[in-house]
Amino acid sequence: MPLALSRLSLCALSLLLMLPALQAAAADAGSHHPVTLDNCGTHITLKAPPQRAVSIGQNTTEILLSLGLADRMAASAVWIGDVPENLKAANDRVPRLSSGIPGLESVLGQNPDLVAAQFETDIGPRGRIASREQFASLGVPTYLSPTDCVGRLYGGDTNPDGARTRAFDMSLVYREIQELAEIFNVSARGVDLVEALRAREARAAAADAGMPADLSMVWWFSSAELSGDAWVAGQFGAPGYIMKKLGVHNIIKSQEEWPAVSWERIAEADPDVIVLGRMTRRNFPADDVAQKIDFLEHDPVTREMRAVREHHFIVLDAQAMNPTLRTLEGLEIVANGLSRLRLTGASAPDETP
């Protein structure tokens, strides 16, 4: 009995000694809330860190997973490709509402305390799911990626992908990471993730040494029809950022995010390299890289382009072709691809995150 009392006393003493640290940790955990942000022109306030977030858009999902927040995600939706291998286990724990656009009832059925979206087209004024005002009226705060509103204009039905009034750079992704980390009260994780990404950005950008000054590219995302106009990258999106970092120029000068351009016009410009988007979705035949290449090699207009004759193709996950966490992966892969094609004298940077 004395031995039991002694052990009990030691336990009580240990708890007493730990109490100040526990109290400090609890105070620190609650010190950042409520959090109020001006997010894409909308003021949002979260009284506590979300516990049942719904992410709409693959990039938003991958940022939350990278911050170690799978346990606070009720569901995800809107996917165009596979999740990176290092996030697969965490992603498998998060239910997927839909690979496409979920219905409002489906989202609300998750009882979300935050809806975080990659694209304004999903939760904007004419949102495919609902507007931010509709969510707010139901007591659900929303967060929209700065990559989709800062320097970005949507053109309605004639230009659904919108245009950019200023060039994208990774600072917008870093801002999103830091804001989401603050919302979820994991700011230190946000700092660590941004620092790691900045280091990768610096390493990959160093590949511009020895790049020919007049090297040109076109980036083919997809097409409604293989022989029809191609959705190719404008000058201010994620591909524009990558090309600027590597000292390569885009044959397309449009401010539109993904303008539709004829192959006759592309062939006339005769780019040195064609970057091809790879995705698992199959909305259009050109979503398939194999069909893209087959068309380029057999169409009487495209097969005469130098990039096609010399097979100067770089295949890139379509997720890296949008302003996302994966844009850095795109920078690394394109730098390595140019080295592989012997279009630069620089040694290829390491692609490993």
Side-chain angles (χ1 to χ4, degrees):
M1 190 69 176
L3 181 58
L5 284 173
S6 175
R7 287 177 177 171
L8 185 61
S9 298
L10 285 172
C11 288
L13 179 60
S14 297
L15 287 171
L16 186 63
L17 291 172
M18 291 171 59
L19 187 58
L22 293 171
Q23 289 173 332
D28 181 65
S31 63
H32 298 301
H33 286 76
V35 167
T36 299
L37 295 173
D38 181 356
N39 171 239
C40 295
T42 297
H43 286 276
I44 59 173
T45 298
L46 290 101
K47 297 180 179 179
Q51 302 298 318
R52 293 193 55 79
V54 173
S55 56
I56 308 293
Q58 186 168 343
N59 181 56
T60 301
T61 300
E62 290 181 1
I63 288 176
L64 295 179
L65 294 174
S66 297
L67 289 170
L69 296 169
D71 61 332
R72 296 201 234 166
M73 298 171 65
S76 73
V78 185
W79 291 77
I80 64 171
D82 294 326
V83 70
E85 192 62 34
N86 66 312
L87 298 178
K88 189 177 185 304
N91 185 59
D92 286 345
R93 293 157 46 199
V94 180
R96 183 177 297 193
L97 292 181
S98 170
S99 292
I101 311 301
L104 177 60
E105 296 80 6
S106 178
V107 174
L108 295 177
Q110 304 305 308
N111 192 26
D113 48 11
L114 175 70
V115 170
Q118 179 177 352
F119 298 115
E120 181 183 289
T121 49
D122 291 328
I123 64 168
R126 297 191 301 163
R128 295 177 290 188
I129 300 172
S131 68
R132 300 187 76 173
E133 291 75 16
Q134 286 175 291
F135 277 113
S137 71
L138 296 168
V140 180
T142 56
Y143 178 88
L144 176 62
S145 170
T147 65
D148 209 52
C149 66
V150 177
R152 178 74 182 270
L153 297 173
Y154 277 97
D157 296 332
T158 60
N159 182 15
D161 286 317
R164 289 191 179 270
T165 58
R166 71 175 234 192
F168 161 80
D169 64 55
M170 285 298 295
S171 66
L172 292 175
V173 176
Y174 300 152
R175 173 178 166 184
E176 180 174 4
I177 292 169
Q178 290 163 335
E179 288 181 342
L180 287 172
E182 181 182 5
I183 285 171
F184 283 86
N185 202 30
V186 291
S187 294
R189 298 183 200 175
V191 170
D192 291 343
L193 179 56
V194 169
E195 286 182 353
L197 293 172
R198 285 190 189 279
R200 286 176 60 190
E201 183 178 19
R203 287 196 303 269
D208 69 348
M211 196 79 67
D214 59 348
L215 197 66
S216 63
M217 282 184 169
V218 68
W219 294 56
W220 184 14
F221 190 89
S222 191
S223 305
E225 297 178 8
L226 280 165
S227 59
D229 290 353
W231 289 316
V232 294
Q235 62 179 338
F236 286 159
Y241 155 82
I242 291 172
M243 285 183 278
K244 183 178 179 180
K245 283 287 184 181
L246 297 176
V248 178
H249 76 268
N250 189 355
I251 66 166
I252 305 299
K253 305 305 179 187
S254 173
Q255 291 186 348
E256 292 183 34
E257 190 87 350
W258 294 101
V261 179
S262 71
W263 283 108
E264 288 77 11
R265 179 180 163 192
I266 295 170
E268 185 178 358
D270 200 19
D272 296 302
V273 178
I274 301 176
V275 182
L276 304 171
R278 177 186 61 233
M279 61 200 84
T280 57
R281 77 166 200 191
R282 289 295 181 268
N283 293 348
F284 311 104
D287 289 348
D288 186 340
V289 169
Q291 292 205 44
K292 282 187 175 83
I293 294 175
D294 183 72
F295 165 77
L296 290 170
E297 292 181 334
H298 293 93
D299 181 82
V301 173
T302 60
R303 69 189 181 193
E304 298 303 322
M305 291 193 291
R306 177 186 174 225
V308 178
R309 294 197 315 270
E310 300 184 10
H311 210 75
H312 283 178
F313 301 139
I314 296 176
V315 177
L316 190 61
D317 194 297
Q319 186 68 359
M321 299 171 83
N322 283 322
T324 63
L325 192 69
R326 305 267 289 278
T327 299
L328 285 184
E329 175 188 306
L331 176 61
E332 294 163 339
I333 291 173
V334 172
N336 275 275
L338 293 174
S339 179
R340 173 179 54 81
L341 295 172
R342 302 183 185 279
L343 295 173
T344 171
S347 58
D350 184 6
E351 290 182 31
T352 306

